[in-house]
Amino acid sequence: MDDLLDYVSNVVMNEPANDAPFRLIDDVDFGRDVVVRSFTNLYGCRIGDNTHVGPFVEIQRGVSVAANCKIESHAFICEGVEIEDEVFVGHGTLFTNDKFPRATDESGVMKTEKDWTLLRTVVERGASLGSGSIVIGGVRIGARAIVGAGAVVTRDVGPGETVAGVPARLRGPE
C-alpha cells in the first residue's frame, strides 16, 4: 500500500491528467487534473489545478499559471508572467518581458542575461485575453478585465475594464 501511495504522490500528481503525445515537459509543478495537449513546451513552471493547456503552447521557466485557467493553442507565455485563477488566454496570445530587446550592445557585442532586466507581468483573477493579443512586459491586467482580440497591451488595465485596439485603449459598452 505504501508503494502505491508513493507512486500516486510522486508520479500521478507530477504529470498532466491526459497522455497526449509529443510534449516537452521538464521540471513542471502540476496541480490536480491538469490537461496538456500535444505539441507543447512546458519547463520550469507551475500549472494549477483543473487548468487546460492547448496544443502548440510554450510556457517558460518561472511562469505561474493558477487554477481553473484555459490556455488556448499557440499561446506563448514567457518568464516573468503570473496568471491568477480563472484566466482565459486566447489562441495565439503572446507575452513579452523586455521593452527594448536587442541582440547586441552599442558596440556590437552579444548581450547576455546580465544586460537584461526582467519585466514582470500579472494577469489577475478572471481576466480574459482575446485571440492574438500581445501583452508587453511590466503590465498588470486587472481582475475580470477583458482584452479584445488583436489588442496590444502597453499599459496597466484596471479591474473590470475592457480594452481593444493598437495600442489597447479603454472601450465602453457597445
Side-chain angles (χ1 to χ4, degrees):
M1 184 64 162
D2 287 339
D3 289 341
L4 178 60
L5 291 175
D6 285 344
Y7 174 77
V8 169
S9 63
N10 292 323
V11 176
V12 175
M13 298 311 295
N14 295 322
E15 296 180 8
N18 64 324
D19 59 357
F22 309 110
R23 301 179 296 194
L24 170 65
I25 297 176
D26 180 45
D27 190 27
V28 178
D29 180 11
F30 286 109
R32 295 181 188 275
D33 300 320
V34 172
V35 174
V36 177
R37 300 292 176 207
S38 299
F39 306 106
T40 56
N41 292 326
L42 309 176
Y43 46 95
C45 57
R46 163 89 176 89
I47 310 293
D49 296 346
N50 303 311
T51 290
H52 289 234
V53 178
F56 301 102
V57 168
E58 179 160 335
I59 302 176
Q60 293 186 329
R61 192 165 310 288
V63 170
S64 174
V65 178
N68 301 310
C69 294
K70 264 187 111 172
I71 312 297
E72 295 290 354
S73 71
H74 299 87
F76 176 77
I77 306 173
C78 60
E79 180 181 1
V81 175
E82 176 186 345
I83 297 175
E84 294 182 356
D85 293 337
E86 302 168 8
V87 168
F88 175 83
V89 176
H91 301 277
T93 295
L94 171 70
F95 288 85
T96 70
N97 56 15
D98 186 351
K99 286 188 181 174
F100 304 103
R102 295 277 184 216
T104 61
D105 65 16
E106 295 78 23
S107 63
V109 175
M110 203 64 147
K111 290 178 94 175
T112 67
E113 283 195 26
K114 293 184 290 185
D115 301 310
W116 175 62
T117 301
L118 174 67
L119 297 175
R120 301 220 172 262
T121 298
V122 176
V123 183
E124 294 180 354
R125 182 184 195 113
S128 181
L129 308 178
S131 293
S133 57
I134 299 172
V135 180
I136 302 300
V139 302
R140 177 175 288 270
I141 298 173
R144 310 284 311 154
I146 297 174
V147 174
V152 177
V153 180
T154 59
R155 304 181 270 213
D156 290 352
V157 177
E161 291 182 346
T162 298
V163 298
V166 178
R169 292 191 173 94
L170 191 60
R171 303 293 186 207
E174 303 202 11

